[in-house]
Structures are given as structure tokens and as C-alpha cells.
Amino acid sequence: MALHSGKRAAGGFIKDFQTFIMKGNVIDLAVAVVIGGAFAKIVTSLIEDIITPLLLNPALKAANVEDLAKLQINGIKYGVFLASVINFIVIALVIFSIIRSFEAMKRQEKREEAVAEAKPDPQERLTLAVERLAEVMESK
């Protein structure tokens, strides 16, 4: 009897878990995490391989350091902090650009919808023109 109720409880748990996993929000979140991880690698490469050498090579050469992570004073690794700040700024800029472009597309769609709603359909325009013509003819 205890074994039977244990199977029922486990079956209910598995069914509840399956329902939870199949919800759209959980799947969307999983996709976002995977894409975010891949995006983080791209941004890290952009920072370490392109931006840091372009912007900081003169400072690194003046400090006789080849790697930003080795830039430090009295054990304080301000180079690592500087790399993190640059990384944050680039990520924020990219996210800002993406959001701004999505908002621009939404505004464009709303404008197009407003224009489409403002124009009466051709059948209505034709009916109105015929009615006005009939009024003009009757007044003569």
C-alpha cells in the first residue's frame, strides 16, 4: 500500500514537473540563457582581441605590460577591473542599440497601421463619391 502511494506521488511529481518545463516562459528563459552565454563569448572576444589592443596598447606599453590582466599596482589588479568596465560598457551599448532598433521598428509598424486605418477602403471612397455626385445632380 505504501509502495502504491509512493508511485502515485512520484507520478504526480513527474507530471507537474513536465507541465512546468513545457510552459513557454521556461523554454524562453532557457533559450535566452544559451544565447546570452554565446553572446558573452562574442563580447569577451571583442573586448580582449579588438577594443583593448586598440584603446589600451599605448598605456600597456608605457606600463611595460603585455596583458591587461597583469596591469597592477601593489597587488591591486586594476587592469582586470578596467577590462570588466570596458566589457560592461560594450554590452550596455549593444543592448541599448538592439532595444532602440526594436522600438524604432515598433514605431514604424504603428505608423503604418495608423496610415492603413486612416485610408478608407476603395469601395467606401467610391460609394462616397457616387453619393456626392448624386447630391450635386439633384441640386441642379
Side-chain angles (χ1 to χ4, degrees):
M1 188 153 137
L3 182 63
H4 184 65
S5 68
K7 282 184 180 180
R8 191 175 335 128
F13 176 81
I14 291 172
K15 185 176 179 181
D16 289 346
F17 182 71
Q18 183 180 14
T19 303
F20 171 75
I21 289 297
M22 297 310 287
K23 286 184 181 178
N25 295 344
V26 174
I27 294 171
D28 291 344
L29 181 61
V31 169
V33 168
V34 170
I35 289 174
F39 181 69
K41 290 179 183 178
I42 292 170
V43 170
T44 300
S45 176
L46 176 68
I47 298 298
E48 292 176 356
D49 303 329
I50 297 172
I51 293 177
T52 299
L54 285 174
L55 297 178
L56 299 177
N57 267 348
L60 292 174
K61 286 180 183 175
N64 293 327
V65 176
E66 292 182 18
D67 185 16
L68 187 61
K70 295 179 183 173
L71 201 57
Q72 60 183 338
I73 295 177
N74 296 329
I76 299 172
K77 298 180 180 181
Y78 68 92
V80 174
F81 175 74
L82 186 58
S84 297
V85 169
I86 293 170
N87 197 358
F88 171 78
I89 290 171
V90 170
I91 290 171
L93 178 66
V94 169
I95 290 173
F96 172 76
S97 300
I98 290 170
I99 290 172
R100 190 168 183 186
S101 65
F102 280 132
E103 289 175 351
M105 288 189 311
K106 284 182 184 178
R107 284 192 302 268
Q108 181 66 26
E109 287 177 5
K110 286 182 181 178
R111 276 189 234 124
E112 290 172 358
E113 288 173 3
V115 167
E117 289 176 6
K119 291 182 182 177
D121 69 349
Q123 184 65 36
E124 281 183 48
R125 292 179 66 196
L126 184 59
T127 304
L128 291 173
V130 169
E131 289 173 358
R132 282 187 296 219
L133 184 60
E135 289 174 9
V136 169
M137 295 302 264
E138 287 176 3
S139 64
K140 287 186 176 183

